[in-house]
Amino acid sequence: MGSEGAAGEPSVLRASARDVVPWRNGAGTTTVVAEGPPAEGGPATEPAWRISIATIDRSAPFSEFAGVDRLLMPLSPAGLDLVIDGRRVRGEAFDVLPFAGESAVEAVDVRGTGLDLNLMTWRGSAAGTLVARHLDGELTLRSPGTPGTPSSWTVAVVVEGDVTSPTHGALALHDAVVIPSGGAVQLTGRAAVIALAVIEPTRAS
């Protein structure tokens, strides 16, 4: 599911409309939350950026994504343990773990089913940040850039609690608000957490 329909005004991509697809290596499953236009200098099938939510129900290696920078946020209370290029890394819920798509990465000591949110950006085409933002009240989110130029994006994914938008109504768990360049949207939350990704181009098109 792409973000092409969000090229003008902010839009909502509903979790209920997503398909579950296997990982590239077949060791797990994921759902695509949103993705950008084709990456510059990369394969035509690869987007400049992609946000997805993976299900991890066993210890398993991650797929390799050469040329991609990755930010991973565990969403489940149990967190997630990874081994990245031989080094063990612990991620608590809503922490952000960075690693290269070429790295050898494996989920280890998985004792139940958990979820993690991934932001992947094609190196040399886009770069992104990912943070967990607690929301208890009103918040106006803005996307950098100039209106009408779909190069910069802000994506907010509901990962906990109740969130509403005056324009789009109630947002369910894992619904995503996609804000194109220069756009803005107001959100209201109650005991909520959103995963907030900001993606910008790293070179002129």
Side-chain angles (χ1 to χ4, degrees):
M1 177 179 297
S3 56
E4 296 87 343
E9 296 295 322
S11 63
V12 171
L13 300 179
R14 299 289 180 180
S16 59
R18 295 174 198 147
D19 295 324
V20 178
V21 296
W23 291 359
R24 181 179 288 184
N25 67 2
T29 60
T30 193
T31 60
V32 177
V33 175
E35 58 186 17
E40 292 185 25
T45 56
E46 292 294 339
W49 58 269
R50 176 184 289 135
I51 295 172
S52 60
I53 295 177
T55 299
I56 297 181
D57 57 8
R58 62 188 184 276
S59 299
F62 283 15
S63 303
E64 179 182 345
F65 285 88
V68 170
D69 291 321
R70 301 188 61 175
L71 298 172
L72 182 148
M73 178 186 291
L75 299 181
S76 303
L80 184 64
D81 289 289
L82 301 178
V83 173
I84 303 175
D85 291 331
R87 181 174 63 94
R88 190 179 180 108
V89 177
R90 170 68 181 171
E92 302 294 346
F94 308 139
D95 286 347
V96 176
L97 305 177
F99 53 91
E102 300 88 351
S103 292
V105 183
E106 183 177 2
V108 295
D109 295 337
V110 176
R111 295 181 175 84
T113 299
L115 300 175
D116 65 72
L117 184 143
N118 298 270
L119 169 60
M120 296 189 283
T121 52
W122 187 269
R123 199 173 301 128
S125 184
T129 60
L130 180 65
V131 297
R133 181 79 178 264
H134 292 265
L135 182 57
D136 213 337
E138 294 184 355
L139 173 68
T140 299
L141 293 178
R142 302 184 186 277
S143 191
T146 304
T149 58
S151 55
S152 300
W153 304 85
T154 295
V155 182
V157 183
V158 179
V159 294
E160 189 173 280
D162 299 319
V163 179
T164 60
S165 161
T167 306
H168 303 98
L171 303 178
L173 187 67
H174 300 158
D175 282 357
V177 181
V178 182
I179 310 167
S181 293
V185 70
Q186 182 179 315
L187 300 178
T188 300
R190 184 178 61 186
V193 180
I194 58 174
L196 184 61
V198 178
I199 304 105
E200 297 187 78
T202 54
R203 66 182 181 186
S205 59

